[in-house]
Structures are given as structure tokens and as C-alpha cells.
Amino acid sequence: MMSKLLYLFLSIFFFSCIKSPNNDYYNLSLSNRRLEDFRWSLNPGNDTVRWRPTWVSDPQINKRVFCVEEDVALKARRLPFTFKMAQRFPLFTPYTKADIRIHARQEHVQNAWLKVYALNEQEEVIHTKSIRINRETWQEYHVQISADSTAYLLIDLLIESVPEVSSGAKIWIDKLDIRVDGLSVNDVSRPEQGKNYTLDTTHIIPLSFSENLSVSGIPLLQAKPRIVGLGETISGSLSSGKAKNQIIKWLVEHGNYKLVLVEEPSMVLLKWDLYIQGYPIPLQEIIEDSGVFTFTLEEMTELLEFLKEYNSKQENKVHIIGIDRNMRMFNNTFLYDYLYELYKQKPDPHLLALLESFYVSLAETLSLLNKPQTKACIGRFERQWLRSIIYLHLTEADLPDVKEYGVANARGSILWEHVYQAWHAGGLAKDKCMVIRGSWIQISRKKATRISLGGYLTEYYEKAYCPIGFIGGHGSVQPMFPTFKKVAKHRQLPKPIEGSLEKSAWNTGRSFFYYPAEQLPQYPLSIRLIPPAYELRSWFASNLHERMDGFIFVRECEAGELLTGKKATSVYDKKIVGKRIRRLLERYKSIHINIPEEWKKFMQ
């Protein structure tokens, strides 16, 4: 009898242990430490500030709790320490009210706010409430907000410490509790509880990987809008990359698309553009240098080789440029290398002066670019784009959104500034067009709380901007780890969940097709998001009808290979930077230019 009771007890304990992580799908306890299970987005505000989320033992309540603490390099500090933790919860049925509770305490924090937003089906803010977290002892903070006509709840925890001072700011969080009409979001807001939607097969446009012209049947592309956005939901999918390349190729060959913009640091892609202009730069050198994590190897080489071949037969050439911010000195080496390649092809004293100006500052380089003498030795587009990216790099901290929200939370604004400058540098105010390749989050039309790049493009260019999303059903992907030194292993992509657009597309039985977003419903519909730093990520519900103009579905995804080989690393890896600097040093010996002192530590 005792053995049966013991067996029953152990069985109950065992299965409860298996089930417990699922009971906290949204990680309200903040106990799931794996990146894929953490759920909350963690965004430090500025690249001059190091942040450190940890789990520590708190003596006041005698248990381990989640903690965010300031860890600042004082010499680098330009802006206040800011940190944001956020998560969004779809509501698939009507509710009347929402209650949000957080058990927390803080030290040396200038401002800490729990902010709650209620969004309608169009993802517009209809209600908002906040409460300040201001006690050094543990306290439960409670916010109640109307859930009437609410389709999404957005929870933001915003932290800011004193500017210009390393104050040792910390905030401890024991847990959160989020309920609608008394029901936990873990029970009623899970993605698979969303409504299933059936695609109208009469609107499906079949596509083919073996025939590039198959995309010509997409009405949106036939209309040749001024700006086409291509947003990936799955990082590391070669299939998705090939589909994007198909569209870029068709737009370049059959439209007047003269700019290909990529969501990568602008200085990193400078030599990509030289390569497609026909400069004698080995492609392998570009691959080794780049280490970017939004391209797979085959996808990148296919696109660059196509653009190079196309430009070789054209007088009015296509340019490919990066539109993301640059990380301090890490990306300056790319600018230095770029100017050297220009000088090597045309040994002009004004170009040599630009190279030497690095010893003074980037501000001196910008000053030289503004002088009339440089116009004759650098092409019009190249000169204007160089001026733009150096100016944006130097003045980034002064952008209004960066001042208010911090760098990480103002990426949409930073990307938009680069796109706006690229538009004018490329002379696109007339009849030329551009295509932008980036993450789905930034390409989509996001307007609530933090505007995405797509949101800015929609505000400024209205219907002239047309975004397309790329989704996958099943197969394999290559996790793209930009900062984690892990061995690259392919991951299996699970089949779509109920209540997702991928499930709706899967149920058609079609393998590769385009579907117009205007045919999708207005209510929350989930798609799978796997950003570069994640192996597999959760589902994200939004108004896909409003966010995009269309979607391309690939039923069976194939994983791509990393640009950096078997080891997952990034453009900021010390070994990669050191290798690039050593190559530059050898080159510059011939023109009697030394490298900046701060680079020498990367050569050790």
C-alpha cells in the first residue's frame, strides 16, 4: 500500500515538474533564464552603458529574484542609463478590465515606471496608466486599466538613473501578475488560443524558386511602388533569403530600383558597394570582414554577384548600403578600409588627406568631405553618403528619440534617419526607387508607443511604401548568434501552431506563394518571430492586415550557413577586428600612414 502511495506521489510530482514551465508561458515569475523562454524583451538604452540582468539572493525576502543593475564605463558615458523591459499580450475575446501587479524594490534609480497600454485592433493606444516604483523596500505595485475594446495589453518597465553619474542603480523584481477579469494571461492569452483563419485560395499567387519571373505575377510589384520593404520573420533561413533575392533581382531588372538598403551598420557595407561597382576587391575578404548576422553565406554571395554582373552592363548603377547605426570604433575600421580602396584606385592627395584625418577625428574627416576639392576625387553618391553616415554617427546622441528613449528603444528613428539621407544621396527625389531588406519588426508599420522604420516610412511616403513579410512553415533554420561564441548547429523549425498565419498558409497545402494582407482579418493573428540572437523564439500577435501589404510563405525551410563558418561570432569579435587591422597596417606602410593608437590593442 505504501509503495503504491509513494508511486502515486512521485508520479504527481514528476508530471507537475514537467508541466510547470508551461503554466508560466509568459514568464511572469521571471524564473526562466534561457533566452528563448525569457519572453520579456530587455533593452538597454545606450551603447555607452553596460547593463547586467542577474538572479540574486535578496536578504529582505530571503529568496532569489531577478535583478537589473547598472554597470557603467564612466569614460564612455554620454547619456543617462536607461533600461526597458517589455512584453505584449494579445486578447482574443472581450474583457472589461485588466489588473497588473509587480512585486519590486529599487536603489539609486532616478525614475522607474510600470507603464500599461491598452491597444485596439488597429494597435492604437486607447488607454494608458502608470505607477512609479520608488521604494527601497519590497512593495506590491498595482495598476488597473480598462480593457474595453482592447485587443492587446503592452507592459513596459522603464528604468533611468542619474545622468553623468555611475550611481549603482538597481531594481529587483520578484514576480508579476497580469489578469483580465480575474483570469491570468497565461491561461487566456497564449498564441495558440487565437482564432483560426482560412485563406481564400483564389487570392493565392504561386511562386517558384526555379523561375525568378514567377514574382512578376504579384500585383504589388507590378505597380512598382517607390519603396518596397522586405521583412524577414525567421533569421537564418536560406529559403527566405532566396525568396527575398528573387524580388530584389526582379525589381532591379524590371523597375528603376537603384538603391538596395540593408538593416546592417552603414560602415560595414561600404565595401559591399565597392564590390558591386566593379572594384577589384576579393569577395572572400568581404565575407571574412563582415560577420553580419542577417545574411546567410549563399544568400549574400548570390545577391552581390548578381548586382555586380548587372552593374557591369549599366551606366546608371545600383548601390547597396547599410542603414543601421555604427558601434563606436569597431566600425571605423571599415570606413578606413573603404577610403584606402578608393585611394588605391585613384592616388589623389585629397583622398590621402581623408585617410590621415582619422588621426584627428571623424569630425575632421567630415570637414574635408565638405570641401570642394574632394568632389573631383569621389563620386557624387559616395561623397554624399559618406558625409551622411559620419554626420549621423557623430550626432546620434542628439536625436530627440535617442535623448528620450535611449539608443536601443529608438532604432526605428535611427534607421529612418539613414533611409532619409540615402534617399537624397541617391538622388531618388525624381523617378528612382529603393528596396529595403530588414527584420519584420522594423519593416512592418508599427505605430504604437515606439514607431518602427516602417511606421516612419508610412508617415512620410504614405502609399508609396509597400512592405512584404516572409514566413516559414517547417524545416530547419540556422540560429544567427551575433555575440555568442557557439558552434553553429541547424535547428528544426516546429510546425505552425493553431491561430497563426503560418497554420493558415500550411493548411492550403501549397509550397511557396504570395498572399495579399488586405485579405487578412483585423483581429490579432500570430506569426513566428526568430530574431538573430535566438535559436527559436515565441509567436507574436498583431494586426497583420494593417502591418503589411502582403506575405510570402515558404512551406519547407532550408537552413543557411553562417558567413563566419562553423563558429558563430560577429563583426565586433576581437579576432575579426584584429585581423582586419593587421591587413590595414600592411597596406598603410606603403603610403606611410600609421593606424590610430586605440586600434593597436586588437592586434595583441
Side-chain angles (χ1 to χ4, degrees), residues 565-579:
K566 294 182 179 180
K567 202 73 170 178
T569 182
S570 81
V571 66
Y572 310 120
D573 186 272
K574 185 176 179 179
K575 290 183 179 179
I576 292 179
V577 176
K579 183 177 180 180

Side-chain angles (χ1 to χ4, degrees), residues 445-460:
R445 300 185 183 99
K446 180 185 177 186
K447 300 178 182 178
T449 64
R450 301 286 186 273
I451 301 179
S452 65
L453 168 62
Y456 283 105
L457 288 166
T458 301
E459 282 189 1
Y460 196 85

Side-chain angles (χ1 to χ4, degrees), residues 266-313:
S266 57
M267 293 182 187
V268 174
L269 264 67
L270 285 171
K271 282 177 64 175
W272 291 31
D273 193 51
L274 288 183
Y275 178 80
I276 69 168
Q277 304 308 323
Y279 279 71
I281 301 172
L283 181 58
Q284 186 59 34
E285 181 179 298
I286 294 176
I287 292 170
E288 290 176 0
D289 278 357
S290 297
V292 297
F293 45 86
T294 61
F295 276 91
T296 60
L297 178 60
E298 186 177 341
E299 176 190 359
M300 172 191 174
T301 54
E302 177 189 273
L303 179 60
L304 291 185
E305 287 173 352
F306 162 77
L307 293 175
K308 182 178 181 179
E309 174 66 19
Y310 177 84
N311 277 344
S312 68
K313 304 170 185 177

Side-chain angles (χ1 to χ4, degrees), residues 205-219:
I205 298 174
L207 303 175
S208 170
F209 281 115
S210 60
E211 191 176 337
N212 284 335
L213 286 177
S214 66
V215 299
S216 65
I218 300 175

Side-chain angles (χ1 to χ4, degrees), residues 1 10 44 141 149 182 197 216 257 266 294 369 374 387 399-400 413 415 442 448 451 475 483-484 551 572 579 583:
M1 182 67 179
L10 291 174
Y141 299 86
S149 302
Y197 176 74
S216 65
Y257 289 78
S266 57
T294 61
L369 283 168
T374 61
R387 289 168 58 190
L399 293 175
S413 175
L415 293 168
Q442 288 298 337
I451 301 179
T483 55
F484 303 99
F551 283 88
Y572 310 120
K579 183 177 180 180
R583 187 181 67 244

